[in-house]
Amino acid sequence: MAGFRAVDRRHFPLDDIPSIVRLFKEQLESSSEPDLALLSIVVGAVENSLTCNRSVSVQKETDTLCEHKLPAVQYHITEALYSKFHALIKGAVDLTQYSGSKYATRELVKKVSDVIWNSLSKSYYKDRAHLQSLYSYLTGRRLDCFGVAFAVVAGCQVLGYRDVHLALSEDHAWVVFGEGGSQTAEVTWHGKGNEDKRGQPVGPGMGSRSWLYVNGCPVICTRPMEVAALVSAINPSLSATSDAMEVALLQQELLWLLYDLGHLTQYPMAIGNLSDLEEVSPTPGRPPCSTLFQEAAMSARTYYKNQHVYPYTYQGGYFYRHKMYKEAFESWANAADVIRLYNYSRDDEEIYKEFLEIANELIPHIMKVVSSGHSAHSILKDPECFAHLIRFYDGICQWEEGSPTPVLHIGWAKPLVNTISKFDADVRTQVVIECHEDEICNNKSSSGKGTAGNTKYLNNKYLNNNNYCKMREGGGGGNSTRDIIRSLESRV
Ligand SMILES: FC(F)(F)Cc1cc2c(N3CCN(c4nnc(C(F)(F)F)s4)CC3)ncnc2s1
């Protein structure tokens, strides 16, 4: 639609959180599709005014929580930017070129991507915060990699294509289009120094089993889920150490609106975002954040064949912050059970950094903290904790096996050895490492879905060391944990 619907005008000026929630609610519940450009401009304007301008007025003491006044988003500003986006897109794309089909074509998608791509300012710091919205695009000609993908989908909506949707992995975004969303196309860049593959289908990612394409299990958005993505992408950070509270509260309220309407059910990361916000400032009457982390993990298991890592690292981070170390080990072991199915490739740096921090910072910190105590209930005497840690390390080793890029280096081995040797032999021998023959052999062959070894904790059954399974002769490259443990056994 060229201009706002009359119904939208009466929401303005948007000068507090409830007024913005009302606009989103109406957009999401109205008969036609929610207007991605309108909603992205509105939240982008609020975020920009509260995080980017130096002249942030200190919240007056008199303000109470419920009176969170926002710098009003004026109708005429929003309308001007909205019209500018429509004019940009419609002015650059001659629809008569694209046959009368109601479905988009690869050429059309690539054309919209080019229009966005070629209108970005020449050089800017791509990783900066607050570059994700159409407000940033229309006022500063700057977008981050997610923002470009979102702008392409919003542009296709302006042109009337209802089949072009956002596809999201845990670290990349692309689009699906055509009948049944059967076609895919890259529309943005990924990472640093990589040639962009815009216009190409998301093909080889499948073969290479890289985490970047989540083994063919991306989040395929509906229009309301695209609204959830733009809300998830709201970034309340004022600086490295502080957040603009009103922006965080706005994001939290909008995520609850989307949650209640059922639009987060198949979006684990958005549930994880909401959970992070709830941990900082719990909403009375809402489920606790621990429940939400569990819901995010269940969503990934139910809808995405448990191929997503972040729900478990979100959850592990929560347990770690709350000193629930055994639970953290279990979440991190569950995260490793996911990554073991992948081959580590150069595009997977983000998740590599995640596992590196867990293995070489967080777990060593926990070991240091618990080593000082001498309680009988110490996790150092708990074979289940040892089993979780072995499963964690085993998953990382399996990740490396068969990968074009090595994962482990000496920097990993020291903390690993340090951690394992903190557990006494009588605790370690209570853990049996089961290796299922069939899984051992298919070293992540194309159909390999199994995990080569998972640790089982048997209640108080003492087994001597040679119950460790025979090392896999000539198994894939890399060090299986079993090799490492066997060598440890001989030294401890
Ligand atoms: F589109 C890309 F390329 F940006 C990929 C996406 C990322 C992302 C997200 N994130 C990324 C993960 N994220 C995390 N924050 N903490 C995380 C954890 F390490 F603790 F798990 S993961 C914050 C929000 N939240 C909703 N949707 C998306 S789509």
Side-chain angles (χ1 to χ4, degrees), residues 423-443:
F423 290 83
D424 295 341
D426 66 306
V427 177
R428 296 201 309 273
T429 47
Q430 291 178 57
V431 172
V432 85
I433 296 176
E434 286 181 358
C435 310
H436 302 295
E437 204 44 47
D438 58 314
E439 289 159 343
I440 277 273
C441 303
N442 68 354
N443 183 9

Side-chain angles (χ1 to χ4, degrees), residues 372-384:
S372 50
H374 295 286
S375 89
H377 303 291
S378 155
I379 56 174
L380 297 182
K381 296 194 174 21
D382 185 338
E384 287 181 313

Side-chain angles (χ1 to χ4, degrees), residues 144-147 149 166-174 188-190 228-229 232-233 267-273 276 293 309-315 317-318 321 351 354 357:
D144 60 21
C145 74
F146 165 83
L166 198 54
L168 302 169
S169 76
E170 297 189 291
D171 191 41
H172 191 32
W174 60 95
T188 185
W189 78 87
H190 176 261
S232 272
Y267 196 165
M269 285 186 288
I271 301 172
N273 280 320
D276 279 347
F293 283 120
V309 178
Y310 277 149
Y312 299 112
T313 47
Y314 267 108
Q315 192 178 42
Y318 166 78
R321 287 189 294 275
I351 206 66
E354 205 63 42
E357 185 193 17

